[in-house]
Amino acid sequence: TTTSSPAFATMTAPAETVTFGMGHWDGDEFVAIGAAGTEIRLPYELYDPCGFRATELRDFAWAFQCSDILGDGVVSSREVRRCFERLGESPTDKELLNILNSADPGATGRHSFQQFVKMMKTFDRSLMTEEELVRAFKVFDRDQSGSIDAIEMHALMTKLGFPITPLEANNIIEEADADCTGAVTFNEFVTKVLNNQ
């Protein structure tokens, strides 16, 4: 069976707290330790953070969970590519095949969250370059107006499978809108991203 919480649909977990190596189940959340020693609660087992910080692991869990439709803690090889794309990675077909083969030598085509985290090690997850920031901004700026408004944010979040209300979209924009224009410019976007890296 599958349980769910407001933030994540989760895999079945032991009812009591059980400790395993670098993490343990606490109810329906797995409590793991990030590379910097920060505790993180995830919907999936994770014993080796592979050097990633807690914030990165949360992003990985979000991307993985979007593809874990059944909530059984595994995704197909095809879905791994979608997870990568959600995280801004675009491996070529050859690169993807090499990554999948190294993570799944038995070619089962099914990948756990731990395997996915190990696959993410193949990418350079260092700070975003200007080109990456421009690309990311263009994803949000659908009408190419040079700014992102609440309507664009609402449409994008809904398309990504996170149905939010127009008011919630407006609140997201307000958080990054330094000059209170009702839209986020490229400079505001860059400032917000760089402050969160």
Side-chain angles (χ1 to χ4, degrees), residues 158-171:
T158 302
K159 185 176 181 180
L160 290 173
F162 297 98
I164 62 174
T165 67
L167 180 60
E168 290 169 324
N170 189 57
N171 290 340

Side-chain angles (χ1 to χ4, degrees), residues 3 25 35 51 58 68 77 88 93 108-109 118-119 137 153 170:
T3 59
W25 281 105
R58 278 188 204 95
D68 183 14
S77 294
D93 289 341
T108 64
K118 287 182 179 175
M119 287 185 238
F137 186 80
M153 179 60 68
N170 189 57

Side-chain angles (χ1 to χ4, degrees), residues 52 56-64 87 113 116 120 125:
F52 291 111
E56 292 172 304
L57 294 170
R58 278 188 204 95
D59 290 344
F60 297 169
W62 166 79
F64 189 86
L87 295 167
F113 181 65
F116 177 70
M120 287 302 298
R125 299 294 295 175

Side-chain angles (χ1 to χ4, degrees), residues 128 133 137 175-179 184-197:
M128 293 182 78
L133 287 171
F137 186 80
E175 186 179 324
D177 183 15
D179 58 6
V184 177
T185 65
F186 179 71
N187 288 338
E188 291 169 326
F189 178 77
V190 169
T191 301
K192 185 72 175 169
V193 170
L194 293 179
N195 287 339
N196 287 321
Q197 287 196 83

Side-chain angles (χ1 to χ4, degrees), residues 10-192:
T10 60
M11 297 178 5
T12 300
E16 69 282 349
T17 299
V18 180
T19 301
F20 300 102
M22 293 286 297
H24 64 276
W25 281 105
D26 183 11
D28 62 354
E29 295 178 313
F30 191 79
V31 181
I33 307 298
T38 305
E39 179 180 287
I40 179 173
R41 292 178 174 271
L42 300 167
Y44 303 106
E45 286 185 352
L46 179 70
Y47 297 107
D48 179 4
C50 300
F52 291 111
R53 299 180 311 261
T55 54
E56 292 172 304
L57 294 170
R58 278 188 204 95
D59 290 344
F60 297 169
W62 166 79
F64 189 86
Q65 192 170 32
C66 288
S67 291
D68 183 14
I69 303 300
L70 298 177
D72 60 356
V74 294
V75 297
S76 68
S77 294
R78 170 181 257 163
E79 288 300 316
V80 167
R81 178 185 286 278
R82 291 188 179 112
C83 293
F84 288 157
E85 289 170 353
R86 283 185 198 102
L87 295 167
E89 303 298 344
S90 306
T92 64
D93 289 341
K94 183 178 179 180
E95 290 168 336
L96 180 64
L97 187 59
N98 288 335
I99 293 167
L100 293 172
N101 286 340
S102 67
D104 185 19
T108 64
R110 295 173 45 87
H111 308 279
S112 69
F113 181 65
Q114 179 68 69
Q115 287 174 316
F116 177 70
V117 170
K118 287 182 179 175
M119 287 185 238
M120 287 302 298
K121 283 182 66 169
T122 61
F123 300 104
D124 178 11
R125 299 294 295 175
S126 57
L127 298 177
M128 293 182 78
T129 65
E130 185 176 346
E131 179 182 324
E132 289 169 326
L133 287 171
V134 169
R135 243 190 347 246
F137 186 80
K138 286 180 181 178
V139 167
F140 286 92
D141 184 19
R142 292 290 189 193
D143 64 1
Q144 298 176 358
S145 65
S147 63
I148 304 166
D149 60 21
I151 294 169
E152 289 168 313
M153 179 60 68
H154 180 261
L156 179 68
M157 296 301 283
T158 302
K159 185 176 181 180
L160 290 173
F162 297 98
I164 62 174
T165 67
L167 180 60
E168 290 169 324
N170 189 57
N171 290 340
I172 292 170
I173 293 299
E174 282 180 357
E175 186 179 324
D177 183 15
D179 58 6
C180 299
T181 60
V184 177
T185 65
F186 179 71
N187 288 338
E188 291 169 326
F189 178 77
V190 169
T191 301
K192 185 72 175 169

